[in-house]
Amino acid sequence: MGKGDRRTLKGKRYNASYGNSRSKGVVKAAGTATAPVAKKAGTKTVAKAPAKKAVAKKAS
């Protein structure tokens, strides 16, 4: 097992071949929709209060 073994990743790199042990990347199927992720029922979202703006003082 090593450079000459085409079943291993090292052997695939040595022989410059691709296959199950050395795939080129994940190919995603086009046009398929994934199921939406459901939110947990027990979690609550807390809304933050809007930030207050500072009032500019008039020069006297």
Side-chain angles (χ1 to χ4, degrees), residues 5-16:
D5 190 11
R6 289 192 173 211
R7 291 186 181 186
T8 61
L9 184 64
K10 192 173 190 178
K12 294 283 184 183
R13 284 192 302 253
Y14 179 75
N15 290 309

Side-chain angles (χ1 to χ4, degrees), residues 2 11 16-17 19 24-25 27 32 34 37 39-41 43 47-50 55 60:
S17 64
K24 287 190 177 184
V27 178
T32 58
T34 58
V37 177
K39 292 184 180 180
K40 294 180 181 177
T43 59
K48 289 185 177 180
V55 179
S60 42

Side-chain angles (χ1 to χ4, degrees), residues 18-39:
Y18 290 89
N20 291 335
S21 297
R22 187 186 177 206
S23 57
K24 287 190 177 184
V26 178
V27 178
K28 293 184 180 181
T32 58
T34 58
V37 177
K39 292 184 180 180

